[in-house]
Amino acid sequence: MDLRSVLAESVLFATLPPPALDALAAIAVPRLLKSGEQLFAKDDPAEHLYVVAAGRLRATLDDGFVAGYIGPLEPIGEIGLLSSENRTATVHALRDSLLIQIRRDRLMEVLIAHPLSLVAITRILIGRLRQNQRQLKLNSVRGAHTFAVIPATPEIDSVGFAQALHRQLSGFDTCRSLTAADVDAELGESMAHTPYESDPNTRLIEWLNRQERNHRYLIYAAGSSPDPWARRCMRQADRVLVVADATTLPLATPMMDALRRSGILATVALVLLRPAQTDGGDVLAWKDQTGAGTHHFVRPGNSADMESLARQLTGRALGLVLGGGGARGFAHVGLIRALEELRIPVHVAGGSSMGAFISALLASGYTSHEMLHLLRETFVTHNHLNDYMFPRIALIRGRKFLRRLQAIFGDRRIEHLRLPWFCVSTNLTRGTAMVHDHGSLALWVATSMAVPGIAPPMIYKGELLADGAVVNSLPTDVMQSLERGQIIASDVSTEGDIRAPGIEGPDPEGLLHWAGPGEPPNLRDILFRTATLTSESGVRRRAASSDLYLRMPVGGIRMLEWKRLDEIVEHGYRLAIEKLTEARERLLR
């Protein structure tokens, strides 16, 4: 490897003059890091600077939170090195990676000899720190560019699937698909099966690294058996795609055993080939068998499904997050109508409270027109929230509303939805948010909408779960953690919407002896407001986690004003059509 060429192309050293690059190359040494191997741990002293020549690494904090990914030509540990601080995160190799290592004391000698280089590096670091954090995270997600296609069972045509994925990725950028036969044709017979601990392995690694540098995306297609080439595919990939037949039961196969024993840290995604008009099969058992963290459905031969998969794998998908806010949430339907008219596809959806309900309708395949009809029947024509009871636990039983949700969604399970979806509830026992991405769709939507005091909390594993908006009214953070791409967030919360105009106080009985204009806030208004309490700082945090943030114009609309359905939808549509028209090119680029 030409160390100087890599350093000259790197983010940190690209602007340095030739003499400084020559000096850096003279003190740099290559370092090979195997998949799963740790580079350094949090609090370790910063003794070296690293630049990724090939591969991908992941930085994590003590609680397991992923702080970021480091890809080719990016530096590792540069700030801690220059500030003499200990490491702030633990870094592992997600896949076999080749690094350039430079000792701190030798680097300082070069910078002292070339002081203008230190100025150039400092400017680059300051510029990186000033960059939009949301864009940095998005760029980090999009850094995945090598994919391994692994068949869960020998009957799966992994090479054919890799070719179909290749056709989609080629529409984004340069792409190449590699099989063992391709490697042997280029390098000689049996080179694809070269053992790691052998002399020819260096030649194979260098050739594969050249392919990665020459192509934005590289697909490694394993064969039907867990041979050395299949194991290399697993170790070379930023993401491992395990392809299985959704209509069959999970099986313990030698390939799956090899995957479990590989020790890789790369994300494993399950791709289930699912013909139209069939259910999703035993998704949870398949995920357990493969160790996959996520799953995708693909109809064989369906180019739209393959495009959606390709977008989600490369951070080019579009996620929609809908917030909670009672009747104000009807504005989300206006947003969905605008998305339909502008032909902006949604690839992942989720929400909280009313946003959970409407995003679940979207994930189930309902159009905005059909949603409007269902919402009118549910909240206006027939009020399914009027099974009142003596308020020992809540004002209503919630039984009537749950039956309504079951009539709409039937026995659908979240993990069977073709459009990936989640909702959020509040664990009142622990005071934390809970994310629901599998199980009964109707049941978890009802839980996400169970406003404390209005409807009884759900009991689950001895704990009480209630409306998700209590702690997370707009879960853009959950969507961001899925690492699928850009996020549109629709917020229907309002600040200070419960008031007592004209009453100065303090008056402890002001609501009991109302002297203000109009109607005083009632018990349900107060409970709804308490359950969806928001703040301007919370709004700013949610906006920062999205790529297009819509603060819906729902001020002055009370949370239980169901009969203003059409008006609220129109408000949402007008704002959404304006903002989406402006952002359409960026969202679809």
Side-chain angles (χ1 to χ4, degrees):
M1 180 178 59
D2 184 348
L3 301 185
R4 189 188 185 284
S5 296
V6 176
L7 292 172
E9 295 180 37
S10 70
V11 174
L12 194 59
F13 302 124
T15 61
L16 266 58
L21 283 173
D22 293 337
L24 282 176
I27 62 173
V29 295
R31 176 172 175 181
L32 181 63
L33 208 62
K34 293 184 178 180
S35 176
E37 188 177 347
Q38 179 178 291
L39 179 62
F40 54 73
K42 183 177 180 295
D43 296 325
D44 281 354
E47 298 175 343
H48 296 89
L49 169 72
Y50 303 93
V51 174
V52 180
R56 197 168 192 235
L57 292 85
R58 182 180 69 193
T60 55
L61 305 181
D62 286 341
D63 58 1
F65 177 78
V66 177
Y69 299 93
I70 308 99
L73 304 180
E74 292 186 320
I76 305 173
E78 68 280 8
I79 294 178
L81 189 83
L82 295 177
S83 63
S84 300
E85 296 176 344
N86 289 346
R87 304 298 190 187
T88 58
T90 299
V91 174
H92 288 87
L94 281 182
R95 44 165 297 201
D96 289 345
S97 301
L98 187 59
L99 311 180
I100 295 177
Q101 176 179 288
I102 302 175
R103 270 175 39 187
R104 182 179 186 277
D105 56 344
R106 302 297 302 277
L107 174 63
M108 291 305 173
E109 291 173 1
V110 172
L111 295 180
I112 291 172
H114 302 272
L116 292 180
S117 297
L118 178 59
V119 175
I121 293 172
T122 303
R123 285 175 177 167
I124 292 171
L125 291 178
I126 292 174
R128 284 164 62 87
L129 290 173
R130 286 178 174 174
Q131 281 183 299
N132 179 280
Q133 292 302 305
R134 172 59 192 147
Q135 189 61 47
L136 284 175
K137 287 183 178 294
L138 191 57
N139 291 341
S140 180
V141 169
R142 290 176 173 170
H145 67 282
T146 60
F147 307 95
V149 176
I150 308 296
T153 57
E155 295 77 21
I156 296 295
D157 180 11
S158 56
V159 174
F161 184 89
Q163 291 171 346
L165 181 60
H166 174 269
R167 287 192 289 272
Q168 294 298 330
L169 293 178
S170 296
F172 302 152
D173 210 323
T174 56
C175 180
R176 182 173 184 181
S177 179
L178 285 178
T179 65
D182 294 328
V183 175
D184 291 347
E186 293 267 0
L187 300 180
E189 187 177 354
S190 300
M191 275 297 294
H193 296 82
T194 300
Y196 275 90
E197 289 74 20
S198 66
D199 291 337
N201 183 55
T202 301
R203 182 181 171 213
L204 177 56
I205 288 177
E206 290 176 349
W207 185 82
L208 292 176
N209 286 340
R210 282 201 301 274
Q211 305 314 305
E212 293 185 22
R213 287 197 296 271
N214 293 337
H215 301 87
R216 179 66 180 84
Y217 300 111
L218 203 60
I219 305 171
Y220 292 91
S224 59
S225 63
D227 53 24
W229 171 248
R231 292 194 291 272
R232 187 178 294 274
C233 290
M234 299 173 192
R235 297 172 64 100
Q236 287 287 130
D238 296 327
R239 296 181 187 271
V240 175
L241 310 181
V242 179
V243 185
D245 185 345
T247 63
T248 63
L249 293 175
L251 297 173
T253 63
M255 186 70 83
M256 293 301 94
D257 182 59
L259 179 60
R260 282 192 296 272
R261 290 187 289 104
S262 66
I264 63 170
L265 296 180
T267 300
V268 177
L270 171 66
V271 179
L272 287 167
L273 303 179
R274 175 185 172 187
Q277 310 305 322
T278 61
D279 65 25
D282 198 341
V283 177
L284 300 183
W286 267 117
K287 291 177 73 172
D288 182 65
Q289 179 70 30
T290 59
T294 60
H295 71 277
H296 308 266
F297 290 117
V298 170
R299 286 165 290 187
N302 188 292
S303 60
D305 286 359
M306 286 301 298
E307 181 188 3
S308 177
L309 174 65
R311 285 187 173 277
Q312 292 182 60
L313 292 176
T314 59
R316 284 181 163 83
L318 187 61
L320 180 64
V321 180
L322 306 181
R328 297 170 183 152
F330 294 155
H332 300 319
V333 179
L335 165 59
I336 294 171
R337 175 184 157 198
L339 288 167
E340 292 170 346
E341 291 184 5
L342 294 173
R343 298 180 182 239
I344 300 176
V346 173
H347 303 98
V348 191
S352 185
S353 197
M354 181 62 82
F357 185 15
I358 295 176
S359 61
L361 291 172
L362 177 66
S364 298
Y366 290 99
T367 66
S368 61
H369 178 74
E370 293 167 332
M371 291 178 196
L372 191 60
H373 172 72
L374 288 171
L375 292 172
R376 192 184 310 281
E377 289 291 311
T378 302
F379 296 102
V380 183
T381 307
H382 306 287
N383 185 358
H384 291 270
L385 296 173
N386 62 1
D387 52 347
Y388 297 106
M389 64 179 183
F390 183 77
R392 184 172 61 91
I393 297 174
L395 295 180
I396 65 173
R397 292 182 182 276
R399 187 181 300 164
K400 187 175 179 181
F401 185 64
L402 177 58
R403 284 201 298 264
R404 173 60 175 168
L405 292 178
Q406 290 169 336
I408 293 172
F409 296 119
D411 59 357
R412 285 190 183 100
R413 294 183 62 83
I414 297 172
E415 65 268 23
H416 289 170
L417 296 171
R418 288 194 179 274
L419 186 73
W421 178 86
F422 69 87
C423 73
V424 173
S425 71
T426 297
N427 187 315
L428 297 178
T429 305
R430 300 174 181 266
T432 58
M434 286 190 66
V435 179
H436 306 285
D437 57 8
H438 64 274
S440 167
L441 180 59
L443 194 60
W444 290 126
V445 168
T447 303
S448 186
M449 299 179 72
V451 179
I454 299 289
M458 167 74 69
I459 298 178
Y460 180 64
K461 296 184 178 180
E463 298 177 339
L464 303 183
L465 308 184
D467 192 296
V470 174
V471 294
N472 195 343
S473 65
L474 190 66
T476 50
D477 56 331
V478 179
M479 182 65 77
Q480 184 172 284
S481 69
L482 298 180
E483 300 182 346
R484 304 296 175 90
Q486 296 186 88
I487 299 171
I488 296 177
S490 178
D491 194 348
V492 293
S493 64
T494 58
E495 181 71 12
D497 61 321
I498 290 186
R499 299 182 183 277
I503 302 177
E504 288 298 321
D507 187 347
E509 295 190 358
L511 290 180
L512 302 178
H513 307 289
W514 182 253
E519 294 292 324
N522 58 37
L523 175 60
R524 290 191 300 175
D525 291 331
I526 295 170
L527 289 174
F528 258 104
R529 176 58 181 155
T530 302
T532 58
L533 194 63
T534 188
S535 66
E536 287 304 315
S537 61
V539 167
R540 286 193 295 271
R541 286 196 302 272
R542 290 192 290 272
S545 297
S546 64
D547 300 280
L548 179 61
Y549 175 79
L550 303 178
R551 188 83 178 264
M552 288 297 183
V554 290
I557 297 172
R558 298 171 76 172
M559 291 189 174
L560 302 178
E561 290 192 285
W562 311 117
K563 293 184 179 180
R564 297 177 69 177
L565 170 64
D566 294 303
E567 175 192 350
I568 298 169
V569 170
E570 187 63 22
H571 284 326
Y573 170 76
R574 289 179 181 176
L575 177 70
I577 200 72
E578 175 190 347
K579 299 299 183 182
L580 287 173
T581 300
E582 296 172 356
R584 186 178 187 277
E585 183 180 350
R586 171 170 57 86
L587 294 173
L588 296 180
R589 185 179 305 139

